[in-house]
């Protein structure tokens, strides 16, 4: 059912955190994570009708953590939410949630105070919180102190950042700092970009703050796409598409025909051009990833918008463009080929989250309709309770979750590509990228795998000749060695008759010369794109070159990022959210 109501909404702390199916309108600005047999939804805002269905819609800041049981099947009309008290854990919109590989805990970092809190207290101190599940849909929030304060307590809490988990390390990239994100940024006027990439090793509780290429800093308008892919590289890879280009209340994000790749094992950055039917440029889609058949990995992308906030005025053209963004695409690796699900777009959404559930299903949670700004109304979510189920193999939408679904299989359209094409023969942007995805190929560049092998040894007389030749060669080498020793002894005797000779500076051996590579303090970050190259997420006609120069590592620190502030110390004033 699609219901349009006025956008004038009142705020109520007493409204239910989980409205009825009949009263539910929209959910957004939340975070979600799948851990064990449950999906957890934290913070965010819920828009609902009053219980009597009369009057203005009510906005509610979610002050609990919700869980959804994935052990049994349900429809989005019958699904049951369990509420879990947050106690001292802060209520922040748009946090990053990192699941642990123990499948029992997850961690929260980042976020901002809701604008529903018009007279909010000062934002909470920068902190990381751990949620420990109880195995039956409940759990407990506790603060998680870092093992090393020196880095963590210098970080700025960003909101609208991009986050992903790889193995047992969480990553957060870019974001915005404002007076609503932390006490250290209370004086900020507007919202200031916070470039950089921070990692949190869950196993040893250590944080690292690293730099990013200049072109990603230039595209530091937040809320890009980031996905952790464990199937490739030494320790897995991050696939990244940043967003940028804020012009006249319209996002002009880079297209998806080039993907940025971050290799955490050596902190190098790469890029690879894609083929196929790439998605139109957009901001704020959700993504999930699944291991496919025969060593492939599929990244699914859903929804998004090309408008800013909720207060822009859309033209008819922009309205039609955003309706068309109700699409699901899949990027298959190592093909780097895009494919599109075949269904008519009708219900676009933004500020939603997605999780893989039940083997082969994607659960879409919440989201606003970006076309609401066109007619100044709230359109009730066509998904009951804001929950939609997408079958990743059949590439079809449903209103019901199947707890007994078959294991995931790569979609038929993707399988057809691999049946007709060989990834090793595609055009790679660089040998380094090719090696990351085709690690069994030792001779990158030609696009063809090496087929050479050592010649087999022959038997008979040829082996006898080899033995004789080896004996003669050994005797010759022994003679040369005896002659060398005799010559050195004569030379030493002559030198002892005169003044001892000190080696010149050029002859002295520095201890560092014994190192096979640069020491940690000297070893620069390696990059694959030139400093002066500023593509809009890399033009497909350009291949990546080695990136020169070093960047400052102090990216997500609490100090004022002066490069982003104007002469009066004021940050850019941006539209809400």
């Amino acid at each position: 059912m699609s219901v349009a109501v006025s956008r004038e909404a009142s705020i109520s702390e007493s409204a239910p955190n989980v409205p009825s199916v009949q009263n539910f309108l929209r959910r957004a600005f939340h975070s979600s994570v799948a851990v064990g047999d449950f999906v957890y939804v934290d913070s965010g805002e819920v828009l609902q009708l009053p219980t009597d269905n009369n009057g203005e819609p009510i906005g509610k800041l979610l002050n609990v953590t919700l869980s959804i049981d994935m052990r049994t099947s349900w429809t989005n009309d019958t699904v049951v939410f369990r509420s879990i008290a947050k106690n001292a854990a802060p209520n922040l919109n748009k946090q990053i949630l990192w699941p642990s590989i123990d499948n029992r805990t997850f961690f929260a970092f980042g976020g901002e105070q809701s604008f529903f809190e018009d007279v909010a207290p000062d934002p909470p101190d920068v902190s990381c919180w751990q949620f420990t599940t109880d195995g039956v849909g409940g759990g407990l929030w506790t603060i998680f102190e870092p093992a090393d304060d020196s880095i963590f307590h210098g970080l700025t809490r960003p909101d609208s950042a991009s986050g992903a988990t790889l193995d047992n390390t969480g990553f957060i990239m870019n974001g915005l700092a404002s007076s609503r994100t932390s006490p250290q940024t209370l004086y900020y006027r507007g919202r200031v970009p916070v470039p950089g990439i921070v990692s949190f090793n869950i196993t040893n509780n250590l944080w690292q703050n690293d730099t990013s290429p200049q072109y990603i800093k230039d595209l530091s308008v937040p809320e890009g796409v980031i996905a952790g892919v464990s199937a490739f590289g030494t320790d897995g890879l991050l696939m990244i598409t940043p967003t940028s280009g804020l012009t006249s209340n319209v996002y002009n994000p880079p297209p998806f025909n080039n993907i940025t790749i971050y290799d955490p094992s050596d902190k190098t950055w790469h890029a690879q051009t894609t083929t196929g039917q790439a998605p139109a440029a957009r901001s704020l889609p959700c993504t999930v990833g699944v291991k496919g058949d025969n060593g492939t990995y599929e990244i699914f992308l859903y929804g998004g918008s090309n408008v800013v906030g909720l207060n822009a005025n859309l033209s008819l053209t922009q309205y039609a463009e955003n309706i068309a963004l109700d699409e699901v695409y899949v990027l298959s690796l190592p093909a780097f080929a895009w494919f599109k699900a075949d269904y008519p777009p009708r219900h676009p959404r933004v500020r939603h989250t997605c999780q893989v559930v039940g083997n082969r299903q994607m659960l879409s949670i919440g989201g606003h309709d970006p076309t609401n700004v066109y007619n100044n109304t709230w359109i009730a979510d066509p998904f009951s309770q804001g929950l939609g189920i997408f079958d990743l193999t059949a590439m079809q939408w449903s209103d019901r979750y199947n707890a007994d679904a078959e294991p995931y299989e790569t979609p038929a359209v993707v399988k057809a590509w691999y049946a007709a094409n060989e990834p090793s023969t595609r055009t790679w942007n660089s040998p380094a990228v090719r090696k990351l995805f085709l690690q069994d190929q030792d001779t990158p560049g030609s696009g063809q795998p090496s087929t050479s092998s050592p010649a087999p040894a022959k038997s008979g007389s040829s082996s006898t000749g080899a033995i004789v030749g080896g004996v003669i060669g050994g005797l010759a080498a022994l003679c040369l060695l005896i002659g060398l020793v005799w010559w050195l002894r004569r030379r030493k005797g002559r030198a002892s008759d005169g003044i001892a000779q000190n080696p010149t500076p050029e002859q002295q051996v520095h201890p560092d010369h014994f190192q096979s590579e640069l020491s940690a303090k000297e070893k620069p970050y390696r990059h694959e794109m030139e400093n002066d190259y500023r593509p809009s997420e890399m033009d497909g006609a350009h291949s990546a070159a080695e990136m020169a120069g070093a960047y400052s590592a102090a990216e997500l620190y609490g100090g004022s990022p002066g490069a982003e502030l104007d002469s009066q110390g004021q940050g850019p004033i941006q539209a809400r959210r």
Side-chain angles (χ1 to χ4, degrees):
M1 178 177 65
S2 181
V3 178
V5 298
S6 168
R7 289 186 63 212
E8 298 300 323
S10 59
I11 310 300
S12 172
E13 293 185 4
S14 61
N17 286 302
V18 183
S20 67
V21 171
Q22 294 75 23
N23 292 340
F24 177 86
L25 291 175
R26 289 279 174 177
R27 180 187 307 279
F29 308 108
H30 58 281
S31 305
S32 69
V33 64
V35 175
D37 295 321
F38 295 85
V39 169
Y40 296 86
V41 182
D42 188 64
S43 296
E45 301 167 6
V46 181
L47 192 70
Q48 55 193 289
L49 293 172
T51 54
D52 57 6
N53 287 327
N54 294 318
E56 296 176 344
I58 298 172
K60 164 72 174 180
L61 173 63
L62 191 69
N63 55 17
V64 296
T65 300
L66 303 177
S67 69
I68 306 173
D69 192 343
M70 311 308 296
R71 296 173 298 183
T72 58
S73 301
W74 43 257
T75 71
N76 51 15
D77 281 331
T78 64
V79 63
V80 175
F81 292 88
R82 176 177 175 178
S83 296
I84 308 164
K86 297 201 68 172
N87 299 322
N91 289 325
L92 296 172
N93 285 352
K94 298 174 285 184
Q95 296 184 96
I96 299 299
L97 303 183
W98 294 311
S100 172
I101 57 174
D102 66 11
N103 222 20
R104 295 187 300 108
T105 57
F106 62 88
F107 299 81
F109 182 69
E112 70 169 353
Q113 289 180 313
S114 169
F115 280 81
F116 278 178
E117 297 181 311
D118 290 332
V119 189
D122 291 349
D125 290 334
V126 177
S127 55
C128 177
W129 285 78
Q130 176 181 357
F131 185 88
T132 303
T133 66
D134 61 8
V136 291
L140 180 68
W141 283 102
T142 55
I143 195 166
F144 195 73
E145 296 291 350
D148 183 357
D149 291 352
S150 61
I151 294 179
F152 181 82
H153 288 300
L155 298 179
T156 293
R157 174 191 286 130
D159 91 275
S160 302
S162 302
T165 305
L166 199 57
D167 191 13
N168 212 32
T169 299
F171 294 87
I172 184 169
M173 189 182 77
N174 290 352
L176 296 172
S178 72
S179 61
R180 307 184 79 92
T181 56
S182 71
Q184 293 86 350
T185 56
L186 269 176
Y187 64 92
Y188 281 16
R189 297 181 60 185
R191 309 176 80 190
V192 179
V194 184
I197 184 167
V198 166
S199 62
F200 165 49
N201 187 308
I202 296 172
T203 302
N204 58 25
N205 187 17
L206 292 178
W207 295 73
Q208 290 189 39
N209 186 19
D210 292 315
T211 189
S212 57
Q214 186 63 43
Y215 90 96
I216 287 187
K217 295 179 185 178
D218 292 344
L219 298 177
S220 60
V221 174
E223 298 157 337
V225 175
I226 181 170
V229 179
S230 60
F232 302 101
T234 303
D235 298 318
L237 303 169
L238 295 180
M239 316 299 289
I240 301 167
T241 299
T243 62
S244 183
L246 183 61
T247 306
S248 301
N249 278 340
V250 175
Y251 275 127
N252 293 307
F256 288 86
N257 58 5
N258 277 271
I259 303 296
T260 296
I261 305 162
Y262 178 65
D263 184 353
S265 69
D266 57 5
K267 300 180 181 180
T268 55
W269 295 81
H270 311 267
Q272 177 58 42
T273 306
T274 65
T275 60
Q277 191 174 0
R282 67 193 70 199
S283 296
L284 305 173
C286 72
T287 57
V288 299
V290 193
K291 287 186 177 181
D293 302 337
N294 299 319
T296 67
Y297 192 92
E298 276 79 62
I299 299 174
F300 290 80
L301 178 148
Y302 168 51
S305 169
N306 65 7
V307 298
V308 175
L310 306 174
N311 304 311
N313 294 316
L314 297 187
S315 67
L316 285 171
T317 299
Q318 292 168 342
Y319 179 85
E321 288 174 350
N322 278 274
I323 290 290
L325 296 184
D326 173 32
E327 305 164 312
V328 174
Y329 286 84
V330 55
L331 175 68
S332 183
L333 306 173
F336 277 92
W338 284 104
F339 307 88
K340 182 176 180 294
D342 185 15
Y343 66 86
R346 291 188 298 268
H347 308 300
R349 65 186 60 237
V350 67
R351 293 284 182 203
H352 54 305
T353 61
C354 294
Q355 301 296 328
V356 174
V357 295
N359 293 330
R360 58 186 280 173
Q361 298 158 91
M362 177 179 73
L363 172 62
S364 173
I365 306 169
H368 282 307
D369 184 336
T371 63
N372 282 347
V373 297
Y374 179 72
N375 51 17
N376 201 39
T377 59
W378 289 115
I379 305 297
D381 199 322
F383 296 160
S384 289
Q385 295 288 10
L387 303 180
I389 294 289
F390 185 79
D391 188 311
L392 299 171
T393 296
M395 298 183 76
Q396 295 177 350
W397 284 103
S398 173
D399 62 355
R400 60 193 62 240
Y401 163 71
N402 181 6
D404 301 315
E406 295 293 325
Y408 171 77
E409 292 185 17
T410 299
V413 64
V414 181
K415 286 184 177 181
W417 187 95
Y418 285 100
N421 300 275
E422 172 55 50
S424 63
T425 62
R426 66 154 295 131
T427 300
W428 294 93
N429 282 34
S430 72
V433 175
R434 185 180 190 277
K435 187 175 181 180
L436 288 174
F437 291 90
L438 301 177
Q439 295 182 11
D440 58 328
Q441 309 300 333
D442 295 326
T443 55
S446 65
Q448 297 293 336
S450 173
T451 58
S452 62
S453 59
K458 294 182 180 181
S459 60
S461 60
S462 59
S463 60
T464 302
I467 294 172
V468 174
V471 172
I472 295 174
L475 291 173
L478 180 60
C479 293
L480 288 174
L481 180 61
I482 293 172
L484 178 61
V485 171
W486 176 81
W487 180 80
L488 288 173
R489 288 174 64 87
R490 284 177 56 84
R491 177 182 174 89
K492 183 177 179 180
R494 290 173 183 172
S496 63
D497 294 335
I499 299 174
Q501 298 179 3
N502 293 321
T504 65
E506 290 77 18
Q507 294 171 322
Q508 292 178 353
V509 179
H510 192 277
D512 286 349
H513 291 176
F514 288 106
Q515 297 177 344
S516 60
E517 55 186 21
L518 293 175
S519 65
K521 65 180 181 180
E522 295 174 325
K523 190 171 183 178
Y525 292 127
R526 291 183 290 134
H527 304 278
E528 272 215 22
M529 286 159 278
E530 290 293 336
N531 265 342
D532 57 357
Y533 181 42
R534 300 290 182 269
S536 183
E537 182 48 5
M538 289 202 65
D539 188 296
H542 292 78
S543 61
E546 277 300 309
M547 185 171 241
Y551 297 104
S552 169
E555 300 299 335
L556 288 175
Y557 273 69
S560 172
E564 275 86 14
L565 299 177
D566 64 21
S567 58
Q568 283 75 42
Q570 299 179 359
I573 306 299
Q574 297 199 11
R576 177 188 171 196
R577 312 207 200 274

